[in-house]
Amino acid sequence: MDALSSSFISTISPSNLFLTPSPVKSQPSFHFHVSSVKIEEKTNYVSKRPLDPTLPTKLFGAFDDIINNFIDPPRRPSLDPRYVLSDNFAPVDEFPPTECEVIQGSIPSCLAGAYIRNGPNPQYLPRGPYHLFDGDGMLHSIKISEGVPIFCSRYVKTYKYTMERDAGAPLLPNVFSGFNGLAASAARGAVSAARILSGQFNPVNGIGLANTSLAYFGNRLYALGESDLPYSVRISSKGDIETIGRENFDGKLFMSMTAHPKLDPETGEAFAFRYGPMPPFLTYFRFDPKGNKQQDVPIFSMTRPSFLHDFAISKNYAIFADIQIGMNPMDMIFGGGSPVGSDPSKVPRLGIIPRYANDESEIRWFDVPGLNLIHAINAWDEEDSVVLLAPNILSVEHTLERMELVHALVEKVRIDLKTGIVTRDPVSARNLDFAVINPAYIGKKNKFVYAAIGDPMPKISGVVKLDVSNGCRRECTVARRMYGERCYGGEPFFVAREPENPDAEEDDGYVVSYVHDEIAGESKFLVMDAKSPDLDIVAAVKLPQRVPYGFHGLFVREKDLNQL
């Protein structure tokens, strides 16, 4: 879940920080618990790297130590790696392709392919401030062929990851935690500039992460993070994960791209955008069915930088949410906070533009007080209206600092393009996010949604199935699966049983997710029957290594894997 701060530091160049956290006085309560399990694992992994960093690396590392110990130690729990990287948030090592045991049921034949999930997994244990969103991207894949599951975990070999691996030490500042206050920002910016001048890294080659999601379009599979360009990856026939390289689409894509492009299942086109701290703050674009990038459409009516993590498409429109999170330089300068924060005085709004627009002349903005959408579920057209499904963050001020206090209420938002009236109806009272649908229904009216239950966020205690075709202002939950005591999962993903059958029912398929048992210390891959009243488990696979909690995933069918 990279974000606007990623774009912010791209103008300077950033350090993953490597110092022991100084004692933190009067810590407020925090729901994570300290665990030392991964200290041993990461020590083993670090031993594989160069044991004698170069003189410039040692010198700049000493400056990092001074910054982390005296100028900007991790004072808040949300930035203290002892808390943030505890329990199953702790990183793991890479893991080679390994056959797994099916311990319950059998894997349906329609799951021939690979489920891959992305998430943050820092290459080095941070010793300075660290935010959950700052880790290097690691892909956890379970490839299934003829019912046999093969598990693998690999880092996305971004330029940042590779340079730091080869140097034997962190080189770039953490995006979400490295710029708290003017003094810390200036100090880390100066060290980064010195590293650039000394030739330790070249920011032109990318400084971001690929830790957020994955997308498959144009017969290519991409690992995504919105602080950098997409990284092309593939799954080998043996189940290994390989990074092919950074993709700029023949020089047509600049700096970054959203981690949430939308693929139209009927046309094969992909729609995307980028955002940043300099005008145009939003740029919209698309890819044709072969994966060729089309022209940029800069949106200058976005008059200030905003956190634009996701968007939605309908058959005729693209829908953007300009929310109350954005650049907050005054808090950074005078309050010692992050350059990205909430602005309670800002009125959120939705922007709707024809999805084949050549310029921004037809975009329309609609003020929607109290609507803060970070993730979108789906959108569709109805007569003179556009309907949007999305979780609304009710306590947006806690999104980056105190995620355990966040409550996301899934709403159905109707924008009447004729009258300009916006109406909103909640579809569930539960704390839900990371919601998905049958991918065949992207951009058109859907009935069912599968959403993760926050317990509290970012931990996921179960999954619910919503029937959003029900009447207004009523609980729409029609099925639920709780994972059990101290068992937590992640974003669910729906896989259709007969994807090529146009007459198949929308919910005829399976919901899959990784789930971790914190008591047993084991992770599983679960397959649930999407049509059953209790989302019955039809298969469970015991994984040979723990899978840390992460972000977004994707299922790629075997025939598509073979075309990569």
Side-chain angles (χ1 to χ4, degrees):
M1 191 173 171
D2 301 77
L4 184 62
S5 53
S6 312
S7 302
F8 169 75
I9 63 150
S10 66
T11 59
I12 47 180
S13 224
S15 328
N16 217 339
L17 311 164
F18 214 87
L19 265 190
T20 303
S22 58
V24 181
K25 298 181 180 179
S26 60
Q27 292 270 21
S29 61
F30 199 73
H31 83 276
F32 295 148
H33 302 286
V34 178
S35 167
S36 61
V37 172
K38 282 314 298 169
I39 299 297
E40 298 176 4
E41 293 186 22
K42 294 311 286 186
T43 299
N44 292 337
Y45 190 68
V46 170
S47 67
K48 303 172 188 175
R49 302 193 179 92
L51 299 179
D52 187 19
T54 63
L55 180 60
T57 299
K58 292 179 180 178
L59 177 62
F60 294 130
F63 283 113
D64 282 338
D65 291 350
I66 294 172
I67 297 170
N68 295 332
N69 277 333
F70 302 107
I71 298 177
D72 185 35
R75 295 184 176 89
R76 302 192 298 275
S78 61
L79 300 180
D80 189 337
R82 297 175 302 176
Y83 289 81
V84 178
L85 294 178
S86 64
D87 296 328
N88 195 41
F89 291 94
V92 295
D93 294 343
E94 290 191 319
F95 199 85
T98 303
E99 186 174 323
C100 308
E101 178 186 2
V102 180
I103 58 175
Q104 180 180 340
S106 60
I107 300 175
S109 60
C110 68
L111 291 182
Y115 172 69
I116 317 135
R117 204 221 62 208
N118 205 342
N121 194 79
Q123 179 177 192
Y124 296 98
L125 284 175
R127 296 180 180 175
Y130 176 86
H131 191 278
L132 178 63
F133 300 162
D134 280 327
D136 297 281
M138 177 174 274
L139 304 181
H140 306 274
S141 168
I142 184 161
K143 184 177 184 294
I144 302 166
S145 181
E146 298 181 350
V148 177
I150 296 176
F151 176 79
C152 180
S153 294
R154 297 291 189 194
Y155 280 104
V156 182
K157 305 306 190 293
T158 62
Y159 176 73
K160 172 187 180 297
Y161 169 87
T162 303
M163 295 300 292
E164 293 182 340
R165 179 200 62 193
D166 294 346
L171 301 177
L172 305 176
N174 286 323
V175 168
F176 280 88
S177 56
F179 299 91
N180 294 293
L182 185 61
S185 299
R188 292 194 176 102
V191 173
S192 296
R195 281 188 164 119
I196 295 172
L197 293 174
S198 71
Q200 278 207 313
F201 72 91
N202 182 355
V204 173
N205 295 326
I207 58 173
L209 307 165
N211 69 0
T212 307
S213 66
L214 298 111
Y216 176 84
F217 60 89
N219 291 332
R220 301 287 291 274
L221 178 62
Y222 299 101
L224 302 171
E226 58 213 48
S227 59
D228 208 333
L229 299 180
Y231 276 80
S232 180
V233 298
R234 67 182 293 268
I235 310 295
S236 74
S237 59
K238 296 182 179 180
D240 209 347
I241 305 168
E242 303 169 356
T243 301
I244 298 173
R246 191 169 182 250
E247 180 60 65
N248 65 11
F249 298 90
D250 297 323
K252 296 178 181 179
L253 185 60
F254 307 102
M255 293 182 62
S256 64
M257 188 180 92
T258 176
H260 289 289
K262 304 300 179 188
L263 177 67
D264 187 314
E266 295 183 354
T267 68
E269 298 167 295
F271 298 82
F273 67 94
R274 68 173 177 271
Y275 67 99
M278 304 293 289
F281 301 117
L282 169 64
T283 301
Y284 169 59
F285 49 88
R286 62 186 174 90
F287 301 87
D288 70 18
K290 294 183 179 180
N292 300 310
K293 183 182 176 296
Q294 305 302 296
Q295 70 178 51
D296 282 347
V297 180
I299 309 296
F300 290 100
S301 54
M302 174 76 76
T303 56
R304 56 192 288 194
S306 181
F307 183 100
L308 283 161
H309 180 66
D310 199 355
F311 79 132
I313 62 166
S314 68
K315 182 178 180 180
N316 296 308
Y317 299 99
I319 303 99
F320 296 93
D322 183 9
I323 66 174
Q324 289 178 307
I325 300 179
M327 297 295 291
N328 196 1
M330 299 308 292
D331 183 56
M332 182 188 74
I333 295 172
F334 298 108
S338 168
V340 177
S342 62
D343 180 2
S345 66
K346 180 179 177 180
V347 177
R349 58 181 186 160
L350 294 174
I352 300 180
I353 186 171
R355 72 179 199 174
Y356 295 108
N358 293 317
D359 57 55
E360 70 161 335
S361 60
E362 295 182 73
I363 193 169
R364 296 177 62 187
W365 291 97
F366 302 84
D367 288 347
V368 193
L371 187 68
N372 286 289
L373 311 181
I374 292 180
H375 290 123
I377 301 173
N378 196 27
W380 63 83
D381 303 321
E382 282 189 3
E383 298 178 351
D384 294 322
S385 300
V386 174
V387 178
L388 172 68
L389 279 174
N392 179 25
I393 306 299
L394 300 182
S395 44
V396 69
E397 68 275 11
H398 298 309
T399 303
L400 298 178
E401 282 291 323
R402 298 290 302 276
M403 281 182 281
E404 72 273 18
L405 300 180
V406 166
H407 189 98
L409 184 72
V410 176
E411 295 189 18
K412 182 187 290 186
V413 183
R414 183 183 300 273
I415 307 101
D416 190 316
L417 301 179
K418 196 171 184 179
T419 66
I421 296 174
V422 179
T423 55
R424 298 160 53 190
D425 293 298
V427 300
S428 176
R430 286 189 173 91
N431 185 16
L432 303 176
D433 204 341
F434 293 98
V436 299
I437 64 170
N438 182 333
Y441 286 77
I442 292 175
K444 62 183 182 181
K445 188 173 184 177
N446 68 285
K447 182 176 182 179
F448 297 112
V449 171
Y450 307 89
I453 304 172
D455 188 37
M457 293 295 181
K459 287 194 172 184
I460 304 300
S461 60
V463 59
V464 298
K465 177 183 179 181
L466 305 175
D467 181 349
V468 297
S469 67
N470 287 342
C472 297
R473 298 187 177 277
R474 57 179 290 184
E475 177 61 52
C476 295
T477 300
V478 293
R480 182 184 67 165
R481 161 64 55 177
M482 303 302 293
Y483 297 132
E485 182 183 2
R486 291 191 62 189
C487 291
Y488 302 99
E491 176 192 62
F493 194 86
F494 178 88
V495 182
R497 188 171 64 88
E498 296 180 289
E500 309 298 333
N501 180 4
D503 298 321
E505 294 181 284
E506 181 184 336
D507 61 345
D508 186 9
Y510 301 93
V511 177
V512 300
S513 181
Y514 290 133
V515 175
H516 182 72
D517 184 334
E518 294 188 344
I519 298 174
E522 295 179 346
S523 295
K524 299 176 183 178
F525 172 69
L526 293 187
V527 181
M528 295 163 274
D529 182 357
K531 288 182 72 70
S532 65
D534 299 310
L535 299 177
D536 297 331
I537 296 175
V538 299
V541 178
K542 183 179 179 180
L543 301 179
Q545 173 169 271
R546 178 173 62 85
V547 176
Y549 305 127
F551 299 140
H552 305 283
L554 183 70
F555 181 81
V556 183
R557 299 189 180 276
E558 194 167 44
K559 66 180 182 64
D560 294 325
L561 289 178
N562 295 336
Q563 294 179 12
L564 291 177

